[in-house]
Amino acid sequence: MSKEFSEVGIEAIGLYVPKYYVSLDDLASARGIDPLKFSDGIGQKQMAVPPPDEDVVTMGASAAAEALQSVDIDQIDTLIFATESGIDQSKAAAIYVHHLLHLPRNCKSFEVKQACCGSTAALQMAMAMVAQKPTRKVLIIAADVARYGLCTAGEPTQGAGALALVISAQPRIMTLESEWGAYTEDVMDFWRPNYLDEAVVDGKFSIKVYLKALTESWAQYTEESGRSLDDHSRFCYHLPFTRMAEKAHRQLAKLNDQASAHPQQYEDSLHYNRVIGNSYTASLYIGLTSLLETSSEDLTGHRIGLFSYGSGCMAAYFSGKVLPGYRDFLRPQRMTEQFGARHRLSVTEYEAFYTHELPKDGSRYFTETYETGRFRLSGVEAHKRLYEPAQQAKHSVSSAQPAAMAG
Ligand code: CAA
């Protein structure tokens, strides 16, 4: 392993979450379900809901703008956009972001897909690109809108968000280690045919496959690295809902003949996802951000294990080590400043956002202005999506109230 490769890691992180959310207590009451099922059974309190003028491009561009605040954009050599909520079958969401952020002309820009694991495939690609040429910086954007359908079992596990990472040979937050365990199997646990806007899911089966993929990826990782559970201080799991971390950690403990799993090894990774919901490709990395930003313990030098699962399925287990001074490049006040400033939607308002559709016949359409990040989808014309920098929002949801975090 070359010296350069061992030093590849995360230089910067940016996170964007829509400005609107639904309280799962409100959703439970509207659906006639015991609220404890959502809060305790699946471990979710709120789910982020994008307004009609936001999509993966606007969310991803906002996350990337935050990540790039302390990075010279002229050094970005490649932009990889991971999503399973793509807005075009041909043109990459990365190209729109490249334009919105004025990235260099020579920056390669493309999209990758393998369900929630697409971002992790992008990460491994980025690590190899940086190892090959250490002056390179690669911007990864993971952005998704999780949609299962109104009144379905998956509905409380919806959510939306975007996470951006700058991967380079000058990491400031975490180095990434080169040993990986991976697993692929052709299964139908969760998928979305081109003609559907919502995922088709075999929920209980998907949990079983997730745990099997964890077992298999862990086995290869430990064989390659010679490391054990005790060599890890914290664990971040792909979080379709936060109780999945409990199931996953129990599984790892069992595999390693430990009598009990220790929740303190993963619980700080759950704070953000509990109020955002599933964000597919972004979910694991939002969990990592939550861990690094909310842990009261200084994690410098600690090894973090990461498990990425993408239905269908491909999974990966890998690890990284937290760097000295990492907190200087994070935003620990995010929970109050960013999530606390969101607007609470009634279930009726959420349903109106959910069912909003853009015209499919090529006609011209201007999207109403809501509160967004730095960019908004202004409309469509001749089958082209139009984006613009967001001005002061008109915020036309009449009853939406600023967030009460306990909602
Ligand atoms: N009080 C407290 N807990 C309650 C309760 C109550 N009144 N009622 C039920 N519960 C508990 C249940 O006991 C159960 O707990 P356990 O998991 O510990 O058994 C939990 O709440 C969920 O309840 P159900 O088992 O009845 O499950 P459900 O039919 O409502 O479906 C789900 C749950 C399968 C997660 C469903 O929400 C779903 O299909 N979600 C989408 C798919 C998904 O997230 N899969 C995860 C793996 S796939 C993946 O990770 C990729 C991805 O991102 C999609």
Side-chain angles (χ1 to χ4, degrees):
M1 183 172 55
S2 71
K3 185 172 183 296
E4 289 82 4
F5 194 78
S6 68
E7 288 176 355
V8 174
I10 302 173
E11 180 175 338
I13 293 178
L15 168 56
Y16 179 75
V17 177
K19 312 280 186 190
Y20 302 90
Y21 76 95
V22 176
S23 156
L24 288 197
D25 282 353
D26 293 349
L27 186 68
S29 136
R31 303 292 181 246
I33 290 171
D34 180 357
L36 288 176
K37 175 173 178 185
F38 294 170
S39 58
D40 298 1
I42 64 166
Q44 293 302 123
K45 280 171 75 171
Q46 299 166 355
M47 62 187 197
V49 184
D53 57 347
E54 248 182 353
D55 64 10
V56 289
V57 168
T58 63
M59 292 195 301
S62 290
E66 185 190 307
L68 293 173
Q69 266 167 10
S70 59
V71 176
D72 176 4
I73 65 163
D74 290 333
Q75 293 185 309
I76 301 297
D77 166 274
T78 306
L79 161 56
I80 313 179
F81 200 118
T83 187
E84 51 183 305
S85 321
I87 44 109
D88 195 290
Q89 289 285 31
S90 177
K91 180 167 173 166
I95 308 277
Y96 294 97
V97 175
H98 180 279
H99 173 75
L100 291 172
L101 297 183
H102 309 292
L103 291 175
R105 285 269 167 234
N106 297 114
C107 170
K108 302 174 279 293
S109 306
F110 55 95
E111 192 170 305
V112 296
K113 178 179 72 180
Q114 180 12 61
C116 308
C117 207
S119 46
T120 301
L123 181 66
Q124 198 171 37
M125 214 186 298
M127 287 168 68
M129 286 174 163
V130 174
Q132 187 188 45
K133 191 175 169 195
T135 51
R136 262 187 192 140
K137 292 184 193 238
V138 179
L139 172 63
I140 297 173
I141 297 175
D144 268 304
V145 180
R147 281 172 67 97
Y148 290 98
L150 302 176
C151 305
T152 63
E155 185 180 30
T157 66
Q158 296 179 137
L163 194 287
L165 299 171
V166 176
I167 304 301
S168 78
Q170 290 93 44
R172 298 183 296 203
I173 296 171
M174 193 165 138
T175 55
L176 293 161
E177 295 177 307
S178 58
E179 298 85 4
W180 284 52
Y183 181 71
T184 296
E185 183 181 346
D186 183 2
V187 283
M188 298 304 279
D189 61 328
F190 168 107
W191 65 103
R192 183 165 69 83
N194 287 342
Y195 51 84
L196 289 183
D197 290 330
E198 294 85 27
V200 186
V201 61
D202 186 343
K204 298 270 164 46
F205 178 54
S206 69
I207 294 172
K208 278 194 190 137
V209 187
Y210 176 117
L211 294 175
K212 181 181 178 194
L214 171 61
T215 304
E216 298 284 345
S217 312
W218 171 256
Q220 194 195 6
Y221 170 82
T222 50
E223 197 182 311
E224 270 204 18
S225 66
R227 297 185 196 116
S228 70
L229 205 64
D230 292 338
D231 292 315
H232 295 73
S233 152
R234 299 287 192 285
F235 297 82
C236 294
Y237 297 98
H238 168 58
L239 296 172
F241 50 92
T242 67
R243 270 212 64 227
M244 194 67 222
E246 181 190 322
K247 294 175 196 292
H249 205 55
R250 230 190 289 131
Q251 172 88 349
L252 266 200
K254 200 169 102 194
L255 288 170
N256 289 278
D257 300 320
Q258 297 207 350
S260 58
H262 303 295
Q264 65 274 21
Q265 290 191 308
Y266 61 81
E267 60 196 7
D268 283 330
S269 72
L270 309 184
H271 302 305
Y272 293 177
N273 299 66
R274 195 174 278 128
V275 296
I276 295 172
N278 198 353
S279 53
Y280 294 159
T281 51
S283 164
L284 168 65
Y285 301 96
I286 291 180
L288 173 65
T289 309
S290 174
L291 168 70
L292 297 173
E293 291 187 339
T294 67
S295 174
S296 55
E297 192 182 340
D298 180 356
L299 296 175
T300 301
H302 289 232
R303 175 173 289 111
I304 314 292
L306 296 113
F307 175 66
S308 181
Y309 176 73
S311 287
C313 72
M314 180 194 140
Y317 186 97
F318 59 104
S319 56
K321 274 193 160 176
V322 182
L323 287 163
Y326 71 99
R327 281 175 163 146
D328 297 342
F329 303 100
L330 294 169
R331 200 173 148 190
Q333 69 281 20
R334 197 185 296 281
M335 193 65 151
T336 43
E337 281 185 4
Q338 193 175 359
F339 305 156
R342 296 180 302 167
H343 301 280
R344 181 173 178 161
L345 296 173
S346 68
V347 172
T348 309
E349 288 162 345
Y350 140 68
E351 289 176 349
F353 277 10
Y354 182 96
T355 49
H356 176 270
E357 279 187 11
L358 294 169
K360 292 182 175 145
D361 59 0
S363 56
R364 188 172 176 168
Y365 176 83
F366 295 104
T367 318
E368 205 177 328
T369 303
Y370 294 88
E371 212 168 302
T372 61
R374 291 166 192 241
F375 305 98
R376 62 181 297 272
L377 172 69
S378 58
V380 286
E381 187 175 12
H383 297 287
K384 294 173 194 163
R385 289 170 98 88
L386 308 170
Y387 295 98
E388 64 180 11
Q391 306 298 319
Q392 200 56 37
K394 289 191 189 121
H395 177 26
S396 57
V397 182
S398 55
S399 65
Q401 298 296 317
M405 290 311 293

